[in-house]
Amino acid sequence: MIASTNVARWTWGRDDESADALVLCMRDLLAAYGVLSANGFAVGQHAVRVSVTEAGGKPRKPLFEGEFTVPVDASSSTESVAQLVGRVRAGMRAGEIGSVDAFVECSGALGLGASSFADYVVVDLVTKSDVWLPYDLKGRPQPDVYAANGPRLSALLRDLSEVLESETDPGEPTYFAKPTETGAENFFHADGTAWDVWGSFEELTRYGVFRHAPGFGRIGYRRMAEGDVRYVPVQGGHAAVLGYLWASDFENAASFEPRDVGDDVTYRAGLVWLERLRSAHDRGLSPSAALAELSAMPDEKGAGRVDPASEPCIVGLDSLRELASGGR
């Protein structure tokens, strides 16, 4: 299972005055990346995002922001580091480097980052997956999955500690798990059963996306309404209802109400509809005009579609949410 936020995080940090912040960050990032590659966690090419900010001043001004492809044979050799550093410097504007941050998504399960500032460099490894845990995020035992992945993670953490010459520092417990020096642990009830953190936290986090617009509600349509809304059902495969697309001109609001936000198919479909609504808003469409336009769209990216014969119904948003949660 893949959560929306980190399941666990581990870091390796140390003081280092041997080079400037850019070199330190790129060197340790490539060193750690090489370890992931050797352990089978980084196969093929991956994109690394690099951000360099200027020293002093608040807010700190960006000197560089860009993305590069990490070669399959990337390593922390002087040549590899110099090549990546050179590409960043070539695109930088003039200014004293204050801090450098880099991140690479190595797989669907792991992300690798590095940061450097004030003669200090830190590497962090994050995961949003539960494959390293004895129980999945719903509290169900997964002995085969754990046996296949738990030892691999332990070996990876050990190797990273050796290469980076720093002890593994487990991050703080998250909503989902407790990181340790050798992996991560589930949370348990007093009776010894594993906690269903998916239902307790992940579903609430996912649902919040459909109820609260980004930028403290200032970006796109509002996703809340006090009065009535116009809505149409969105159907997926086998005519199953994935959720409801709704709009209110009076409150400049529109969103997607998912039937089962814990279901990955429904969740991803809902995100597609939110993207479409954001596009309609940015083009100046009213919520009702967006509803009409989106209702005519074909099924793309598994988002489902609105039945062409379906006419918008009017109901209070609370009632619509009851309809969605009731499974009717």
Side-chain angles (χ1 to χ4, degrees), residues 43-312:
V43 180
Q45 294 185 332
H46 296 87
V48 55
R49 300 191 299 273
V50 182
S51 174
V52 182
T53 56
E54 190 172 14
K58 292 184 179 181
R60 293 183 177 179
K61 299 179 181 179
L63 297 178
F64 176 85
E65 289 184 353
E67 185 174 292
F68 303 107
T69 298
V70 181
V72 177
D73 58 349
S75 68
S76 59
S77 66
T78 302
E79 181 180 356
S80 295
V81 174
Q83 182 181 29
L84 188 53
V85 168
R87 295 176 68 182
V88 175
R89 291 196 193 281
M92 277 179 54
R93 69 177 185 84
E96 181 185 356
I97 295 177
S99 63
V100 183
D101 299 284
F103 182 81
V104 55
E105 193 79 40
C106 297
S107 67
L110 293 172
L112 179 69
S115 300
S116 56
F117 51 91
D119 298 325
Y120 185 80
V121 60
V122 60
V123 169
D124 68 284
L125 181 73
V126 297
T127 182
K128 295 182 179 180
S129 174
D130 65 357
V131 297
W132 331 105
L133 299 170
Y135 298 82
D136 70 14
L137 297 183
K138 288 190 174 182
R140 301 171 299 195
Q142 49 178 10
D144 293 339
V145 172
Y146 177 65
N149 296 287
R152 293 181 64 215
L153 176 62
S154 296
L156 175 64
L157 298 178
R158 181 198 64 226
D159 292 350
L160 283 169
S161 179
E162 292 179 359
V163 169
L164 297 171
E165 300 179 351
S166 176
E167 293 184 359
T168 301
D169 182 11
E172 293 294 321
T174 67
Y175 288 129
F176 306 107
K178 178 183 178 181
T180 68
E181 292 184 0
T182 58
E185 299 175 348
N186 292 98
F187 292 118
F188 296 91
H189 294 288
D191 63 1
T193 58
W195 193 355
D196 176 10
V197 291
W198 184 269
S200 300
F201 301 111
E202 174 63 15
E203 291 186 5
L204 291 177
T205 299
R206 289 185 173 193
Y207 191 46
V209 174
F210 300 99
R211 299 193 64 167
H212 306 290
F216 298 99
R218 295 191 296 269
I219 300 177
Y221 302 119
R222 295 181 64 237
R223 297 178 185 174
M224 297 284 288
E226 299 296 331
D228 289 345
V229 301
R230 295 167 61 84
Y231 77 90
V232 291
V234 174
Q235 298 178 340
H238 305 292
V241 175
L242 297 174
Y244 302 90
L245 190 65
W246 62 265
S248 168
D249 281 347
F250 181 74
E251 300 187 59
N252 192 36
S255 187
F256 178 85
E257 186 65 25
R259 280 278 295 271
D260 181 6
V261 75
D263 175 67
D264 287 342
V265 173
T266 300
Y267 177 61
R268 287 193 294 267
L271 295 181
V272 173
W273 289 104
L274 290 183
E275 290 176 3
R276 291 172 172 176
L277 286 169
R278 172 67 184 279
S279 174
H281 173 274
D282 291 348
R283 288 183 284 114
L285 271 63
S286 68
S288 61
L291 181 65
E293 178 181 275
L294 270 58
S295 294
M297 286 187 170
D299 183 355
E300 296 176 342
K301 303 179 182 178
R305 63 190 293 269
V306 175
D307 186 339
S310 178
E311 292 291 334

